Amino acid sequence: MKLSGNVWKFGDDIDTDQIYPGKYLPLTDKKEMGTHAFEGVPDIKDFSAKVRSGDIAIAGRNFGSGSSREHAPIAIRESGIQAVLAISFSRIFYRNAINIGLPIMEIDIDTYNSITQGDKIEIDTETGELRVNGKSFKAFPLSGLEHDILVHNGLINYIKEVML
Amino acid sequence: MSKTIIEKIISRASGKDAKVGERVWVKLDLVAMRDFGGPNVVLDFRKHFPQRHVYDSKKVAITFDLHIPPRNEKVAKNQQILRGFAAEEGVHLFDINTGIGQHILLEHGLIKPGSVVVGTDSHMNLLGAVGSFATGVGTTDIVSGLALGKLWFRVPPTIKIILEGRPQNGVLPKDVILYLLKFFKTDGLNYLAVEFFGEYVESLPLSGRITLASMITEMSGKIGFIATDMRIKKELSFTEDISPDPDATYMKEYRFDISKIEPLIALPHSPDNVVAVSEVEGTQIDEVFMGSCTNGREDDFRMARNIIKDREVKVRTIAVPATHSVMINLLKEGIITDFAYAGIVIPNPSCALCTTGHPGILAPGEKLLSTSNRNYVGKIGKGGLIHLVSPLTAAASAVEGKITDPRRFL
Ligand code: SF4
């Protein structure tokens, strides 16, 4: 998949409570869940009003730590963010993102430092190629299996279309 | 090729020679869900796979761990959904009189060394203590696992943690794992499998091994394994066993001398915010909780009883056995009686004060000493301050009404 969008930049240790505060856990409407994405991040105000469909999130270390609930990647996707790049992901978030069909990739710290809020970024989820402000970078591409699951828009569809 | 425990298990369950970093489909020996999260699994499974039954009814288990008996209509309805599903599909159901899932599954012979287990709790992986690859996953994974009997996994690298030396009097496995948390921090083991070795580990009964393995989650690790030895085989009547090949490759090796460790405490609001109990002795507290999947077994309460017997607690104290059979054993040994005379509240077995929503919630600013595994902000009530300790420190502090080094009683 080739995706492009504008960057939302986040720091280290953005946990699932910052991505999707626990008080919204009872919500079941996915669109509504999307309006609360990143509401718990202290230094970002009015994210849901400002985010544009197709934007891409860039984060530091340990993105998505905390609870195992899938609300976090679902809320991100529903908010309009179409992919997340981070230096590292917590393992449960990583799985859940792929399983619901949210593209994610790991990047190194130099790449992270070279990207700023609002930059225009192009990514190729298959090769890991990134282009930002005319410069090229490389993300760690997903494995073949993870990428296949993504392309099928998540694990349930993948199972129905490929495995059953 | 020589293999670590995780490589052995995944190779067997995937039918491939699994190498670190690879993604492989792994056959599941057990899919578990619980009263929290389970109802969504059932609804999604019926929605996405309306024509299908679970892949193998003998390999699916539902446990009621959290709000038992149900505390409100919503929870009652959730449990109703699960009972209905269990009847329709003929899967194992452990109802309100059983206890914490992982322990129940173990007690009922559903967990074997080398088996692959997924569940909806982040501490499923404490079953690594008996050599089972158990892991907590999200709803989509469980739904898929129910339909297919397989899930994809990335084979994690393994590190070796060797624990040598004898513990000082008053130092329990909880202190040892808090020491490791202080060292590795909350993201120190991300994506990694751990194998515990050393004379200290070998000296531990099941309860202590579970305490160690359970808090690998707090360091973001995938799982902490202990190879099956005679002691565990006997304690659990296992016929299977699992151990790494002698020349398996580890990403890194760490060695710790545990004889230097003293009783430790994790202060709010992170499990790696660890200091010696002696540094914060005398701090007034409001409540003590003994229990959870980390410290809810017979041995944990036996330890606490050494201090509690013939004394009275000075703060409100709640003790909750992990399972029904643990409670029966505590009754037989007179421990429940001693606790009751000491003024301790003893509800039925469950996860209890590991999560919010169970009686015992804190008011803002109140301090809780807990033998559970997490002390995040607001976990047991908004504004509450959670401190993580061993059963001995919990007991000593309960009878003093303030944070107390248990060595004073020994
Ligand atoms: S005691 Fe807490 S961590 Fe353990 S199984 Fe229950 S809810 Fe999960």
Side-chain angles (χ1 to χ4, degrees):
Chain A
M1 281 186 271
K2 290 197 168 59
L3 310 171
S4 68
N6 293 319
V7 165
W8 275 90
K9 191 157 181 187
F10 297 91
D12 290 339
D13 297 310
I14 302 292
D15 61 36
T16 48
D17 254 310
Q18 295 180 52
I19 298 170
Y20 191 75
K23 64 182 169 196
Y24 301 120
L25 286 174
L27 296 182
T28 49
D29 181 69
K30 293 189 173 165
K31 279 272 159 293
E32 194 184 349
M33 286 164 64
T35 65
H36 298 295
F38 294 113
E39 217 177 276
V41 181
D43 44 355
I44 293 193
K45 281 211 176 64
D46 303 326
F47 175 84
S48 78
K50 291 185 197 148
V51 65
R52 292 282 157 265
S53 179
D55 285 355
I56 290 172
I58 313 288
R61 275 175 225 290
N62 200 26
F63 185 85
S65 61
S67 93
S68 62
R69 291 168 204 134
E70 287 176 6
H71 301 68
I74 292 173
I76 293 176
R77 189 190 59 199
E78 296 299 323
S79 76
I81 292 281
Q82 60 169 339
V84 184
L85 309 180
I87 297 173
S88 66
F89 293 92
S90 98
R91 63 187 172 82
I92 294 183
F93 181 90
Y94 183 93
R95 268 194 92 78
N96 287 343
I98 289 166
N99 284 347
I100 66 136
L102 173 70
I104 57 171
M105 279 196 288
E106 289 175 335
I107 50 176
D108 62 26
I109 187 148
D110 294 334
T111 307
Y112 175 78
N113 288 335
S114 309
I115 301 173
T116 47
Q117 171 76 19
D119 279 353
K120 178 115 181 121
I121 185 168
E122 291 165 45
I123 67 178
D124 183 331
T125 59
E126 205 155 357
T127 60
E129 243 126 302
L130 310 179
R131 281 195 71 74
V132 190
N133 301 328
K135 276 193 252 155
S136 290
F137 298 93
K138 188 103 169 111
F140 301 96
L142 296 176
S143 76
L145 172 64
E146 289 160 344
H147 199 260
D148 278 357
I149 295 173
L150 266 188
V151 173
H152 284 86
N153 205 17
L155 184 60
I156 303 266
N157 287 333
Y158 180 84
I159 287 175
K160 285 189 191 169
E161 288 160 23
V162 180
M163 302 200 64
L164 290 181
Chain B
M1 213 192 75
S2 298
K3 292 185 160 55
T4 63
I5 291 180
I6 191 79
E7 290 162 3
K8 272 192 175 178
I9 295 177
I10 294 186
S11 295
R12 195 246 337 137
S14 66
K16 286 175 88 181
D17 196 18
K19 295 194 182 60
V20 167
E22 278 180 343
R23 280 69 166 173
V24 286
W25 287 92
V26 175
K27 278 203 201 124
L28 305 172
D29 297 302
L30 189 71
V31 178
M33 56 180 143
R34 60 205 311 224
D35 50 340
F36 183 84
N40 285 337
V41 169
V42 168
L43 298 177
D44 277 6
F45 180 72
R46 290 291 186 228
K47 180 171 125 202
H48 294 305
F49 299 103
Q51 314 292 345
R52 292 185 82 86
H53 290 291
V54 300
Y55 76 108
D56 183 341
S57 57
K58 285 186 212 65
K59 295 184 174 172
V60 177
I62 296 171
T63 58
F64 287 181
D65 316 13
L66 288 161
H67 304 130
I68 47 178
R71 67 187 150 96
N72 60 28
E73 286 166 26
K74 174 87 182 119
V75 175
K77 279 188 196 146
N78 281 343
Q79 294 183 5
Q80 186 180 42
I81 290 172
L82 291 171
R83 284 191 196 98
F85 186 75
E88 285 159 24
E89 296 289 330
V91 304
H92 300 278
L93 174 77
F94 298 99
D95 215 302
I96 60 160
N97 60 341
T98 49
I100 303 177
Q102 299 90 313
H103 291 259
I104 290 295
L105 300 173
L106 196 54
E107 282 175 3
H108 286 80
L110 291 169
I111 306 294
K112 302 279 182 224
S115 60
V116 179
V117 180
V118 293
T120 47
D121 185 80
S122 54
H123 290 76
M124 281 312 286
N125 54 1
L126 66 81
L127 296 168
V130 300
S132 169
F133 171 40
T135 185
V137 292
T139 311
T140 299
D141 270 318
I142 298 284
V143 170
S144 305
L146 286 180
L148 207 60
K150 288 194 256 181
L151 277 178
W152 67 276
F153 287 104
R154 153 150 87 158
V155 186
T158 304
I159 64 162
K160 202 171 187 174
I161 296 181
I162 305 164
L163 302 175
E164 292 172 323
R166 288 162 141 273
Q168 288 174 33
N169 213 4
V171 170
L172 297 183
K174 183 61 158 288
D175 301 299
V176 175
I177 197 69
L178 288 176
Y179 181 82
L180 295 183
L181 257 155
K182 189 180 164 98
F183 180 85
F184 287 108
K185 298 293 178 189
T186 49
D187 65 347
L189 301 180
N190 204 9
Y191 298 140
L192 300 179
V194 172
E195 287 179 18
F196 288 107
F197 292 91
E199 53 178 322
Y200 176 65
V201 182
E202 286 158 22
S203 76
L204 294 175
L206 176 67
S207 57
R209 295 178 187 208
I210 284 179
T211 305
L212 283 187
S214 73
M215 290 188 71
I216 290 297
T217 302
E218 277 54 58
M219 297 174 249
S220 304
K222 186 115 185 129
I223 186 153
F225 285 113
I226 299 172
T228 333
D229 56 14
M230 284 317 291
R231 178 172 194 143
I232 282 297
K233 272 185 122 167
K234 223 172 123 204
E235 194 173 338
L236 289 160
S237 312
F238 282 147
T239 46
E240 300 81 354
D241 52 37
I242 188 125
S243 53
D245 288 327
D247 45 358
T249 318
Y250 295 89
M251 195 179 97
K252 220 167 166 177
E253 183 177 311
Y254 297 88
R255 216 170 258 276
F256 297 94
D257 176 5
I258 66 133
S259 65
K260 297 197 189 91
I261 300 175
E262 34 175 333
L264 297 174
I265 180 168
L267 305 176
H269 292 289
S270 178
D272 63 4
N273 190 10
V274 173
V275 301
V277 172
S278 56
E279 286 175 55
V280 287
E281 257 202 313
T283 308
Q284 293 294 325
I285 54 175
D286 302 283
E287 185 169 300
V288 173
F289 166 57
M290 297 185 226
S292 86
C293 63
T294 295
N295 279 121
R297 296 200 65 87
E298 288 92 335
D299 292 329
D300 299 308
F301 296 104
R302 284 181 193 128
M303 285 291 163
R305 174 216 233 170
N306 292 335
I307 294 174
I308 301 278
K309 193 172 165 47
D310 301 326
R311 294 196 170 91
E312 273 178 33
V313 294
K314 290 211 181 91
V315 286
R316 38 182 218 264
T317 301
I318 303 171
V320 188
T323 70
H324 196 70
S325 76
V326 170
M327 186 177 71
I328 302 266
N329 290 333
L330 298 181
L331 275 167
K332 285 186 190 154
E333 292 177 33
I335 295 176
I336 298 276
T337 314
D338 289 339
F339 278 23
Y341 275 117
I344 296 176
V345 177
I346 307 151
N348 59 301
S350 77
C351 293
L353 278 173
C354 178
T355 65
T356 190
H358 189 279
I361 296 299
L362 304 172
E366 284 187 335
K367 292 197 177 89
L368 170 75
L369 245 59
S370 168
T371 63
S372 185
N373 44 48
R374 284 183 170 166
N375 58 350
Y376 300 149
V377 178
K379 194 164 166 59
I380 312 292
K382 208 171 172 180
L385 301 160
I386 309 166
H387 304 63
L388 305 176
V389 294
S390 80
L392 275 177
T393 304
S397 304
V399 300
E400 290 292 333
K402 52 192 184 199
I403 296 176
T404 304
D405 192 320
R407 289 175 295 186
R408 292 184 187 284
F409 288 86
L410 303 172

